[in-house]
Amino acid sequence: MGQHIILIGFMGAGKTTVGRRLAALLGRELLDTDQQIERQAGMTINRIFETEGEASFRRRETEALRRLADRKEPAVISAGGGLPLREENREVLKTLGLTVYLRVRPETVLQRLEGDHTRPLLAGEHPEETVRRLLEERGGIYAMAASLTADTDGKSPEAIAEEIRGAMENGKGGEAVEDFGD
Ligand code: S3P
C-alpha cells in the first residue's frame, strides 16, 4: 500500500484547506485532483461541465487519479467531492494510502460555499436541497471509501490536520471505519 494521505468528502468539507495545513505539518506536497484536471484540460471545472458535460469531467477525474497513483513521493491528496463515487476510483484509492473522510453538515457546506460560483453541481435554483440530497446519497459511500472519518463542523483546519496526524502516529487507519471526531 502506498503512503499518500487522501482527503475525501463533500464540497466545502475543507479538503483543500485542511490538506494545505496537513501537508505543511508533514512536510509534504499537496496535490489536488481538481487542479490537476484544470491544468491538464486548460479549462476551469465550470467550463468542462459546460462544454463537455459531467460524464467527461468524471473520465478526466479518473485519469487524474491514475496519474497521481504513479507518484512515488508521499503526498497529501485532496480529492474532488465526487471522486469516490466511482467504484473504479475507490479501487485506486485503496492502493494509494490512507483515505480520510472529512464529514460535514449541510448547514456548514451552505455557509462556507455562499457566494461561491466554482461548483457547477450547486449552481441550480435550490442549492440547499441539492446539498442535502447529495450528502444523503454520498455519505455512506464516503464512509465506505475511507479508513478514518473526521467530523469537521466547528473545528479549525489546524485542529483537524492535527487530529489526522495524531491518528497516523497512533497507527490508526486499518480496515475499519473509525471515528475520532466528536
Ligand atoms: C464535485 C466537487 C468539486 C469538483 C466538481 C464536482 C462533486 O470538488 O470536483 O465541481 O461532484 O462533489 P470539491 O469537492 O473540491 O469542491
Side-chain angles (χ1 to χ4, degrees):
M1 155 157 147
Q3 295 303 309
H4 301 295
I5 296 172
I6 312 98
L7 302 179
I8 64 167
F10 202 71
M11 295 171 264
K15 301 179 296 284
T16 305
T17 321
V18 172
R20 211 172 281 136
R21 302 295 195 289
L22 187 61
L25 273 178
L26 300 173
R28 295 184 181 197
E29 193 179 356
L30 173 69
L31 305 168
D32 181 308
T33 59
D34 286 340
Q35 259 182 27
Q36 305 268 332
I37 295 166
E38 290 189 330
R39 198 173 305 148
Q40 216 270 335
M43 279 185 268
T44 63
I45 290 175
N46 271 331
R47 190 90 188 116
I48 299 172
F49 268 72
E50 247 170 58
T51 58
E52 302 180 353
E54 182 172 352
S56 169
F57 172 77
R58 297 299 173 197
R59 280 193 293 276
R60 289 182 177 279
E61 196 168 46
T62 298
E63 279 167 26
L65 182 66
R66 290 196 177 282
R67 275 196 303 276
L68 289 182
D70 291 336
R71 296 224 181 194
K72 296 286 172 277
E73 194 70 21
V76 176
I77 299 174
S78 163
L83 184 144
L85 304 181
R86 272 195 173 188
E87 194 187 345
E88 184 184 352
N89 295 349
R90 293 198 296 276
E91 290 304 313
V92 180
L93 287 178
K94 280 186 203 156
T95 68
L96 280 182
L98 177 69
T99 301
V100 181
Y101 169 28
L102 300 186
R103 185 161 52 191
V104 67
R105 294 203 187 100
E107 297 76 21
T108 308
V109 172
L110 289 160
Q111 199 185 332
R112 287 193 188 147
L113 297 186
E114 205 189 335
D116 176 278
H117 299 292
T118 64
R119 268 74 171 199
L121 293 182
L122 304 182
E125 297 262 299
H126 307 287
E128 183 167 348
E129 264 172 48
T130 311
V131 166
R132 287 184 194 282
R133 178 177 51 80
L134 289 177
L135 262 175
E136 181 79 30
E137 285 170 14
R138 293 177 173 188
I141 300 174
Y142 291 142
M144 178 174 73
S147 304
L148 288 170
T149 297
D151 283 312
T152 63
D153 305 275
K155 290 182 192 161
S156 70
E158 288 79 9
I160 301 162
E162 281 291 359
E163 277 185 19
I164 297 170
R165 181 169 69 165
M168 284 170 64
E169 283 170 1
N170 291 330
K172 291 193 183 171
E175 293 303 307
V177 172
E178 192 147 358
D179 271 304
F180 58 92
D182 47 26

